[in-house]
């Protein structure tokens, strides 16, 4: 499909100056959301993540077991939305969280660089799903975006989405820190949505620039504009560099201000995090918590 032509139906991205001004405004507004209630919601929106070269069956089992036990140990706090791991650990997590509502997210499709054959990407996604993944996080091909090969980048997303059952969630990572400009971040977000993404996600967390509020604003404006044209709601996920409770509240506020409270559900808002989990728990409990 010719996706690039669809971009002409949308206004250009906001200027960097306008984005910066909006971020400054939202930073101030976000102070109202430094509350236990917001922190609890942000915790419940976490895709609890371990994506390390040190991951092993033993370490991932222990990680998932602690997440499963959280339901009993902290019954007054809604648990994280999912556990996010490499594809080879999907079955491991499934065994550890069996009998709980925990969802399983797998990165796939040549994560984190997406620099492999489409057939390999599709097979890896299929294997993760076969092993029990409920949600798949893939990376939009950044090299193709930077060289203007938009149709090719989006067509890969379409091909992978077409291989997944409708009830499975596809999150597309645009690697905003590599795209850098509001124009490219907006195009990548729109192209991902045209191609069937259920979420657009900021970052892999594997390059020096991860999630930024500037990228979040640009992406959420694109989600809003897409919704106004199509009526289809696409979610937003901030990942990489979200560490403190205040960081989480800032992204919550970006979504609240640009997309509205109806987007503040775990079906439409996620935070990809590891260290943020303990920091949010500490803010909620009013004392230092090192659960993970």
């Amino acid at each position: 499909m010719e996706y690039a032509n669809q971009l002409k139906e949308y206004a250009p991205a906001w200027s960097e100056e306008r984005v910066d001004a909006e971020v400054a405004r939202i930073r101030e507004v976000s102070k109202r959301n430094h509350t236990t209630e917001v922190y609890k919601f942000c915790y419940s929106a976490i895709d609890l993540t371990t994506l390390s070269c040190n991951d092993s069956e033993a370490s991932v089992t222990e990680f998932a077991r602690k997440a499963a036990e959280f339901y009993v140990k902290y019954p007054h706090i809604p648990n994280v939305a999912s556990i996010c791991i490499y594809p080879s650990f999907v079955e491991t997590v499934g065994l550890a969280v069996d009998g709980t509502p925990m969802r399983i997210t797998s990165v796939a499709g040549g994560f984190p660089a997406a620099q492999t054959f489409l057939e390999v990407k599709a097979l890896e996604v299929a294997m993760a799903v076969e092993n029990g993944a409920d949600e798949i996080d893939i990376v939009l091909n950044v090299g193709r975006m930077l060289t203007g090969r938009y149709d090719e980048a989006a067509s890969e997303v379409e091909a992978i989405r077409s291989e997944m059952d409708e009830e499975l969630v596809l999150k597309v990572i645009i690697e905003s820190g590599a795209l850098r400009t509001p124009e490219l971040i907006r195009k990548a977000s729109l192209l991902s949505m045209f191609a069937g993404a259920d979420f657009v996600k900021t970052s892999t967390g594997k390059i020096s620039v991860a999630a930024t509020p500037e990228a979040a604003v640009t992406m959420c404006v694109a989600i809003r504009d897409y919704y106004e044209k199509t009526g289809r709601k696409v979610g937003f996920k901030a990942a990489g560099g979200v560490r403190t409770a205040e960081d989480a509240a800032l992204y919550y506020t970006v979504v609240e201000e640009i997309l509205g409270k109806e987007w503040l559900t775990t079906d439409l808002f996620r935070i990809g995090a590891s260290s943020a989990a303990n920091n949010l728990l500490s803010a909620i409990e009013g004392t230092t918590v090192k659960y993970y």
Side-chain angles (χ1 to χ4, degrees), residues 126-145:
M127 292 177 72
V129 170
E130 179 68 22
N131 282 352
D134 304 296
E135 306 182 357
I136 297 292
D137 289 18
I138 65 169
V139 183
L140 189 69
N141 191 297
V142 174
R144 286 176 176 158
M145 286 302 303

Side-chain angles (χ1 to χ4, degrees), residues 43-245:
Y43 185 83
S44 76
I46 288 177
D47 289 340
L48 190 65
T49 302
T50 180
L51 296 171
S52 167
C53 65
N54 297 330
D55 288 342
S56 66
E57 189 171 329
S59 69
V60 171
T61 296
E62 175 64 11
F63 186 72
R65 183 188 62 78
K66 294 199 81 170
E69 290 176 352
F70 186 90
Y71 291 103
V72 175
K73 293 189 175 182
Y74 291 87
H76 58 293
I77 301 173
N79 206 351
V80 296
S82 80
I83 296 177
C84 180
I85 64 303
Y86 281 113
S88 57
F89 297 114
V90 168
E91 192 169 10
T92 300
V93 171
L95 291 171
V97 303
D98 187 39
T100 77
M102 187 74 63
R103 295 179 68 80
I104 303 171
T105 297
S106 175
V107 296
F111 179 95
Q115 298 287 12
T116 189
F117 303 105
L118 176 58
E119 293 83 356
V120 173
K121 295 180 183 182
L123 179 59
E124 187 176 48
V125 168
M127 292 177 72
V129 170
E130 179 68 22
N131 282 352
D134 304 296
E135 306 182 357
I136 297 292
D137 289 18
I138 65 169
V139 183
L140 189 69
N141 191 297
V142 174
R144 286 176 176 158
M145 286 302 303
L146 292 172
T147 54
R149 295 164 65 184
Y150 303 142
D151 285 338
E152 293 176 41
S155 292
E156 285 201 344
V157 175
E158 180 194 27
I160 290 170
R161 173 74 264 186
S162 69
E163 293 295 323
M164 295 171 57
D165 290 343
E166 188 176 332
E167 69 272 12
L168 299 174
V169 173
L170 177 65
K171 307 190 200 90
V172 177
I173 304 162
I174 66 166
E175 200 69 287
S176 57
L179 299 179
R180 298 186 180 181
T181 68
E183 190 61 38
L184 271 179
I185 291 170
R186 178 173 171 82
K187 285 178 177 176
S189 300
L190 288 169
L191 288 163
S192 298
M193 290 185 278
F194 297 161
D198 298 301
F199 274 76
V200 285
K201 174 179 169 183
T202 57
S203 322
T204 61
K206 299 299 185 183
I207 67 170
S208 58
V209 179
T212 66
E214 290 79 12
V217 164
T218 300
M219 293 168 71
C220 286
V221 170
I223 291 169
R224 183 186 66 193
D225 293 350
Y226 177 79
Y227 172 68
E228 288 175 352
K229 277 191 178 290
T230 68
R232 186 169 80 91
K233 290 181 178 177
V234 173
F236 169 76
K237 178 176 174 179
V242 185
R243 293 186 176 87
T244 68

